[in-house]
Amino acid sequence: MPRFSVIVPVFKVQGFLRECLDSVLDQSFDDLEVIAVDDCSPDGCGAILDEYAARDPRVRAVHLPENVGLGRARNAGLPHATGDYVLFLDSDDKYTPGLLRAVAERLDATHDPDILVFDHVRTHWWGRAGRSDAAGLLEQAGTDTFALREHPEYLHLFLVAWNKAYRRDFFLGHGFAYRPGLYEDAPVTYQTMVTAERIACLDRVGVEYRQRRQGAITRTPGRKHFDIFEQYEGLFAFLAERPGLDWARPLLFERALDHMLFAVARPERVLRGDRREFHRRIRAFYRRHVPPGFAPPAEARRTEIRLLARAPYSAHLALGVLRRVRRALGRRAQRMRELVVRRLKQSWYRLQLRRALDPGLAVYSAGHSRAVNGDPHAISLRAAELAPHVRGVWAVRPEAVGLVPPGTEYVTTGSWRYYRVMARAKHWINDCNWAGELVKRPGSVHVQTHRGTPLKYMALDLRSRPGARHGTDLRGMLRRSDRWDVSLVANRHSEEVWQQAYPCHFTSLRSGCPRNDVLVGGGAGDARGAGLRERLGVRPSETVVLYAPTLRDYRKGRHVWRVDLEALAGSLGPGYRLLVRLHPSLARHHERALLLRDLHRRGALTDVTDEPHVEDVLLACDALITDYSALMFDYANLDRPIVIHADDWEAYRATRGAYFDVTAEPPGHVTRSDAELAKVFHSGVWQDAESTRLRAAFRERFCEYDDGRAAERVVRRILLGEAQDTDAGAGHAVRIPAPVDRSARLPEYR
């Protein structure tokens, strides 16, 4: 008997059916059966099901003699189910990788509850959207089980059949069945939820819910939407037969009315000419089933529900008009307030610009003012020691205030204090560009630290890559870059690239990379790495491997998984710990919730995307796997093994562009498939003599000016105005490679 029976009703979805079935059959957890019910589909769906059934014994094709509709097709699959748990999946949707393993583990941990609920993501025909509105409920549920009577807020979970795993004995034992017609999910969902004694939640995106451009019945207006009344009549008939569920009647009554009012307000559901009748049916349902003393909760459509008892349809129309007018007036008033405040702040800023520059004031920013880290942070810490007379103030966005370390002075961008500080500060130190509205004053010094050594094309070099520069205002970028006075460089490669990509009037300072000081300085750096390992629960004997991919400009959303993380974590075997760090811009990307967060919670790997200081992560690791991330240049300072996973190098180079071929001049071994990546670690090649040789050549070229004194060098040169011979390029203690033929190394650059 399998653990799972997945019932898939099928009708006119031949373009999506294979993808749906493959998403189930390719799961890493394979103790399952698929009951695919052909609802007399007129296209090629039946033949596809027979094909799958012939080649995979886990698939059973059930062909119905006539079309019975989605709900009854699900019912037809139930007698064939033999699994411990029954799951339903619509045939135009699909499971996310690893879902069933995660479900199985949660069921084991919660000792087989009646129902397990998981999350979904909407996949629109133009691209994927975010998680469901119920994500917060699933997260707060934790790992405990509960009954709905104690936690009625879980009635707000999405009303569908396919986001749950039902214990088969529970589902069949109570005789639950889907009724014919539209909105068939609602009554069964509510019946099961109020009847279940133990409900568990899995805070994981398990289903990609396809929002088709055409063909979705919920987006096709017509009389079919009147089915909602029969569905809820069936639900309340179910309650009438079970006096023990009287506690649920007010809750379900409010949910039913909310659902009906939601439907009538949608032009893609109820036709304008049918709305009066639809509303009359809602009022009749209200009078027939209203519980004694019923009062809708404050968060519901309270006013609309109250009007059902005493007002005609015209009152609801008037209420709708009133709400639209209020929203329009509110938006207009908000725009006027914002305009007035913006103009007042502009006037305030112009007044501040008339005041003298403050030579004892430096303002710092990192990551588009979303963080307090990187090179600006390293410089600010060193400045506090060497130039305590210079007051350092950080500019951060309002949403990033919680990330500011205690005791750090800051201003929020766009505030009155922000404009005063930006007008008065002599020193601006940033790893990105400042806002275009800010004025570069004569006598002020703008230090551009950048964000590492460039591999991919930057700024003006993107002219030949229209896809990568889409949405980028190159002229505006260069205007903002014209404000730079000093550009920090860690090697001659960076110096050449920045001067080519940003043809502006600035001076290159061969300082090294300030944030890398801790990587080459030892002592404090070792302690920081050990501290992070301890905080992450890494045993001293474990080998820590970091996987840090970069963005993909050829993919909408700029994110794509190039490595099977679960397989990689498993292939490393015992004694290894896999850390994963996404690009900072993807920290809130919904893709992260599809897989990474779940693998982290299951202990398969550790997600360190939110660690504020990447240097600590690098120090904690024994090896780095990356594709084309600039982190490889930083990590090379540690002289630890690096593996380049370049399975899409040609596509990446064609779309984004690169200043050199990292697969020809890599810092370590290069892999091009998951199998090759696993083999590199299985065989021990990742740390062999060839890896050491490649890394040494890479370090010689790209860690040229990193000597552990970069931040000090910047402070002494910029804030203290000391002599020029502190440049890393002028000192004898820094590794200086022999002259090289740049035309051979950088064919695209030349």
Side-chain angles (χ1 to χ4, degrees):
M1 184 170 67
R3 186 61 164 157
F4 298 127
S5 296
V6 182
I7 297 176
V8 183
V10 178
F11 183 73
K12 292 178 69 173
V13 289
Q14 64 179 7
F16 310 106
L17 182 55
R18 294 180 186 275
E19 188 176 12
C20 170
L21 294 174
D22 289 342
S23 76
V24 181
L25 298 173
D26 292 344
Q27 291 280 311
S28 57
F29 185 91
D30 61 0
D31 185 15
L32 59 90
E33 64 180 2
V34 176
I35 296 98
V37 182
D38 173 17
D39 191 16
C40 202
S41 185
D43 56 7
C45 287
I48 293 173
L49 295 184
D50 290 338
E51 172 193 332
Y52 272 77
R55 71 169 186 243
D56 194 322
R58 296 174 298 170
V59 179
R60 178 168 185 174
V62 177
H63 298 278
L64 301 182
E66 61 179 357
N67 178 254
V68 297
L70 179 60
R72 287 191 288 180
R74 291 186 187 130
N75 297 339
L78 281 169
H80 302 280
T82 61
D84 298 328
Y85 278 82
V86 173
L87 297 90
F88 300 99
L89 178 64
D90 287 358
S91 48
D92 55 351
D93 299 335
K94 63 179 181 178
Y95 282 158
T96 60
L99 168 69
L100 294 184
R101 181 171 297 280
V103 170
E105 291 178 357
R106 179 55 58 85
L107 291 175
D108 291 342
T110 52
H111 307 292
D112 286 1
D114 298 323
I115 305 173
L116 175 70
V117 188
F118 44 87
D119 203 3
H120 70 277
V121 61
R122 291 178 184 265
T123 305
H124 295 277
W125 58 271
W126 65 85
R128 180 176 286 156
R131 295 186 65 182
S132 73
D133 295 337
L137 284 172
L138 296 174
E139 183 175 6
Q140 76 180 32
T143 58
D144 296 331
T145 61
F146 59 89
L148 197 69
R149 188 167 189 170
E150 286 73 40
H151 292 279
E153 65 272 18
Y154 285 89
L155 281 175
H156 291 261
L157 292 172
F158 201 40
L159 283 175
V160 288
W162 39 256
N163 64 351
K164 303 171 186 71
Y166 294 107
R167 187 165 54 80
R168 185 170 61 94
D169 291 345
F170 163 75
F171 198 91
L172 296 179
H174 285 278
F176 299 126
Y178 292 94
R179 298 170 61 89
L182 200 56
Y183 300 101
E184 80 292 337
D185 302 70
V188 173
T189 295
Y190 287 140
Q191 290 169 13
T192 57
M193 293 290 283
V194 299
T195 305
E197 296 180 2
R198 297 176 61 245
I199 301 171
C201 291
L202 175 63
D203 181 22
R204 187 193 194 284
V205 172
V207 175
E208 292 197 40
Y209 176 33
R210 191 187 301 272
Q211 305 289 283
R212 287 194 275 164
R213 185 169 179 264
Q214 294 180 340
I217 186 63
T218 55
R219 295 181 177 273
T220 304
R223 299 287 298 184
K224 286 290 293 179
H225 292 277
F226 281 78
D227 290 351
I228 194 171
F229 300 108
E230 292 302 318
Q231 299 291 0
Y232 278 107
E233 288 293 344
L235 171 62
F236 276 80
F238 172 86
L239 294 176
E241 296 171 356
R242 293 163 176 79
L245 296 178
D246 284 348
W247 60 269
R249 291 180 66 86
L251 299 172
L252 296 180
F253 181 72
E254 181 270 320
R255 289 283 80 207
L257 294 178
D258 185 82
H259 197 180
M260 294 172 186
L261 290 168
F262 173 87
V264 74
R266 296 297 183 277
E268 70 273 18
R269 299 197 181 196
V270 181
L271 293 167
R272 182 180 297 275
D274 290 334
R275 289 180 191 169
R276 184 179 297 275
E277 180 185 353
F278 198 95
H279 187 268
R280 179 181 58 78
R281 296 281 298 272
I282 299 176
R283 293 184 67 196
F285 179 89
Y286 180 98
R287 290 192 296 268
R288 192 158 49 248
H289 296 292
V290 60
F294 171 76
E299 67 271 13
R301 303 169 188 270
R302 192 168 190 172
T303 303
E304 290 179 86
I305 291 177
R306 284 180 170 176
L307 284 175
L308 288 172
R310 59 181 67 92
Y313 178 61
S314 56
H316 282 265
L317 290 177
L319 178 63
V321 171
L322 178 61
R323 285 179 170 171
R324 288 192 293 273
V325 170
R326 283 180 176 174
R327 284 196 294 267
L329 291 176
R331 287 193 295 267
R332 183 174 181 181
Q334 179 66 21
R335 286 195 296 267
M336 290 298 297
R337 284 194 296 269
E338 291 173 352
L339 177 62
V340 170
V341 171
R342 184 164 60 249
R343 289 182 176 176
L344 287 174
K345 287 181 178 178
Q346 289 171 350
S347 299
W348 163 257
Y349 182 46
R350 286 193 292 269
L351 288 174
Q352 297 302 310
L353 290 171
R354 297 178 182 178
R355 302 178 64 184
L357 284 172
D358 184 349
L361 178 60
V363 61
Y364 300 91
S365 178
H368 300 284
S369 298
R370 292 186 175 92
V372 179
N373 58 20
D375 294 313
H377 185 245
I379 295 169
S380 70
L381 293 178
R382 202 71 176 117
E385 300 173 8
L386 300 177
H389 62 284
V390 178
R391 173 185 164 211
V393 179
W394 278 83
V396 296
R397 294 174 182 258
E399 63 269 22
V401 166
L403 302 177
V404 179
T408 302
E409 186 176 358
Y410 69 91
V411 293
T412 55
T413 55
S415 67
W416 299 91
R417 289 189 63 225
Y418 168 75
Y419 288 112
R420 183 175 66 192
V421 166
M422 296 308 301
R424 300 290 311 284
K426 179 176 180 178
H427 300 101
W428 297 4
I429 301 172
N430 198 346
D431 62 7
C432 301
N433 263 320
W434 296 97
E437 63 178 340
L438 298 176
V439 176
K440 172 69 165 64
R441 298 182 64 181
S444 65
V445 180
H446 183 176
V447 179
Q448 173 56 249
T449 72
H450 304 286
R451 306 181 76 183
T453 294
L455 168 63
K456 60 189 177 185
Y457 278 3
M458 305 294 289
L460 207 59
D461 292 332
L462 291 174
R463 287 176 300 175
S464 62
R465 298 295 189 274
R469 76 165 190 265
H470 177 69
T472 301
D473 178 9
L474 291 181
R475 291 180 182 273
M477 178 186 294
L478 293 181
R479 282 196 299 270
R480 293 188 292 273
S481 303
D482 279 332
R483 298 177 296 193
W484 301 354
D485 294 296
V486 179
S487 168
L488 305 187
V489 296
N491 46 65
R492 279 177 281 184
H493 162 77
S494 296
E495 188 171 357
E496 294 177 11
V497 168
W498 298 138
Q499 290 178 3
Q500 171 180 301
Y502 295 93
C504 306
H505 297 289
F506 57 80
T507 299
S508 294
L509 175 59
R510 295 179 172 183
S511 60
C513 185
R515 73 178 183 184
N516 288 348
D517 287 348
V518 70
L519 303 183
V520 297
D526 295 336
R528 287 173 61 174
L532 180 59
R533 287 173 68 108
E534 181 179 0
R535 182 156 55 82
L536 296 177
V538 177
R539 296 187 300 273
S541 61
E542 283 187 295
T543 298
V544 178
V545 179
L546 171 65
Y547 173 55
T550 193
L551 303 170
R552 295 300 193 276
D553 294 291
Y554 61 77
R555 176 71 175 261
K556 182 179 177 64
R558 307 179 75 196
H559 173 77
V560 56
W561 294 115
R562 303 304 315 179
V563 168
D564 185 333
L565 294 179
E566 188 169 14
L568 175 61
S571 68
L572 290 175
Y576 284 83
R577 174 74 70 91
L578 178 63
L579 308 186
V580 177
R581 184 178 180 88
L582 298 182
H583 191 277
S585 65
L586 299 176
R588 299 295 174 263
H589 198 283
H590 55 262
E591 285 280 2
R592 188 178 175 195
L594 289 176
L595 179 65
L596 185 55
R597 185 165 63 171
D598 180 62
L599 291 175
H600 173 84
R601 289 181 175 179
R602 290 162 50 194
L605 51 77
T606 303
D607 180 6
V608 292
T609 303
D610 292 332
E611 287 295 325
H613 300 290
V614 70
E615 311 92 85
D616 295 350
V617 178
L618 299 181
L619 285 161
C621 297
D622 301 296
L624 169 68
I625 303 171
T626 187
D627 35 42
Y628 325 117
S629 170
L631 286 181
M632 73 176 79
F633 302 100
D634 304 327
Y635 193 73
N637 282 285
L638 289 168
D639 198 17
R640 299 174 187 173
I642 301 173
V643 176
I644 299 298
H645 187 68
D647 70 317
D648 65 337
W649 171 243
E650 296 305 324
Y652 183 86
R653 195 175 188 181
T655 52
R656 178 65 195 227
Y659 291 110
F660 68 96
D661 187 347
V662 73
T663 65
E665 302 174 277
H669 290 286
V670 178
T671 62
R672 299 182 184 275
S673 68
D674 285 355
E676 288 182 12
L677 184 58
K679 185 177 180 180
V680 162
F681 282 91
H682 279 165
S683 62
V685 167
W686 63 282
Q687 53 182 342
D688 65 0
E690 177 65 6
S691 172
T692 302
R693 184 190 69 79
L694 292 169
R695 189 167 66 254
F698 193 85
R699 293 177 69 239
E700 191 74 8
R701 180 180 177 188
F702 295 111
C703 301
E704 192 173 2
Y705 306 143
D706 282 332
D707 62 352
R709 296 181 56 230
E712 176 184 349
R713 192 170 288 117
V714 174
V715 172
R716 292 191 182 279
R717 283 290 309 278
I718 305 301
L719 299 185
L720 298 179
E722 295 185 359
Q724 185 173 351
D725 60 9
T726 58
D727 280 11
H732 60 275
V734 184
R735 302 181 301 275
I736 303 295
V740 294
D741 182 1
R742 294 292 182 186
S743 63
R745 282 181 175 268
L746 305 175
E748 291 193 6
Y749 178 65
R750 291 295 183 190

